[in-house]
Amino acid sequence: MKVLWFSNCELGNNVSKGSGSWLFAMCRIICNSVELINATLSNVDQVVYNKYDTFSEVLIPKFKLKDGIPEEKNTKVIQEVIETINPDIIHIWGIEGFWG
């Protein structure tokens, strides 16, 4: 499964292939009005923060799951990301996963 995040697509060229295409339209509409930060799970070893001209993104490691959720130490990593970013709105993409 390919993980979709803004920086691995050509956002400025309106290129979106497959699932999540609405994210690009949302970004173009609101990124000049609010601070837009996309957070997604990715094949990274540690949390990665990328800052671009009109938005930021946080790549969170795909932690191994036990009984459908990450270990407590890894849920704390996610909690720290949320507390650091301190967003007004959190959109959860993939509520069929442990996020829900």
Side-chain angles (χ1 to χ4, degrees):
M1 180 175 95
K2 181 177 179 181
V3 176
L4 173 69
W5 62 85
F6 288 144
S7 66
N8 74 348
C9 297
E10 297 178 44
L11 182 61
N13 295 325
N14 296 327
V15 174
S16 172
K17 298 177 182 175
S19 178
S21 60
W22 63 271
L23 287 171
F24 300 93
M26 177 191 67
C27 180
R28 285 188 299 277
I29 291 169
I30 69 170
C31 67
N32 293 324
S33 303
V34 299
E35 181 182 8
L36 179 61
I37 300 173
N38 182 53
T40 189
L41 299 177
S42 184
N43 294 321
V44 294
D45 295 326
Q46 60 186 18
V47 174
V48 176
Y49 180 79
N50 296 311
K51 176 79 174 150
Y52 303 98
D53 290 336
T54 58
F55 70 95
S56 302
E57 70 181 358
V58 178
L59 305 178
I60 300 170
K62 289 183 179 178
F63 297 119
K64 291 183 181 180
L65 305 179
K66 182 177 180 181
D67 297 325
I69 58 172
E71 296 177 6
E72 184 177 355
K73 67 179 181 174
N74 295 328
T75 58
K76 288 182 180 186
V77 168
I78 295 168
Q79 183 178 0
E80 288 172 8
V81 168
I82 293 169
E83 290 173 355
T84 299
I85 294 171
N86 193 23
D88 292 325
I89 300 171
I90 298 175
H91 173 266
I92 299 174
W93 186 13
I95 60 170
E96 68 276 3
F98 68 84
W99 300 109

